[in-house]
Amino acid sequence: MFRQLSKRVTAAVALVLTAFGTGGTALAAGGAEAPACVTYSTGWRYTFVTNGCEGTQQVEVVYTDGTLGPCRAIDPRQTATFAGYGTTANHPVRVDSCRVDEPVNG
């Protein structure tokens, strides 16, 4: 249920970005979306990403403005903490798979 809500929020953010003339291009920064067993919850200060998968997942958070959080490896049944949306309302819009040995924005 939470993953469905996250996808609805992502779609709503994309719609808002399109309405303001960005054409949704800010959302194109990350890689492939993380598997459904990786979930996240967010607040103004922190975003918590939980790995519910059987194996270790390498993930990064994609924010409204297209920036990426650091790529982190999360073991099964563990949670990693990333930046929240802060006072600028730069909300996380999805969690992508990544490789820890690649540069964050490169």
Side-chain angles (χ1 to χ4, degrees):
M1 181 173 154
F2 182 77
R3 191 69 170 176
Q4 289 174 339
L5 178 60
S6 295
K7 288 182 180 183
R8 286 187 204 141
V9 169
T10 300
V13 169
L15 181 63
V16 169
L17 289 174
T18 300
F20 285 101
T22 64
T25 55
L27 297 179
E33 192 169 347
C37 52
V38 174
T39 59
Y40 71 98
S41 62
T42 187
W44 77 272
R45 190 167 188 164
Y46 301 111
T47 297
F48 300 101
V49 178
T50 301
N51 178 9
C53 306
E54 291 185 19
T56 299
Q57 297 294 315
Q58 296 180 35
V59 299
E60 62 192 355
V61 175
V62 181
Y63 294 89
T64 306
D65 68 358
T67 58
L68 304 174
C71 184
R72 294 193 178 143
I74 307 174
D75 290 329
R77 298 173 306 281
Q78 298 298 310
T79 299
T81 304
F82 294 81
Y85 54 81
T87 58
T88 61
N90 189 21
H91 289 270
V93 293
R94 70 176 185 264
V95 176
D96 283 353
S97 294
C98 60
R99 290 187 47 192
V100 172
D101 59 337
E102 291 180 351
V104 171
N105 282 319

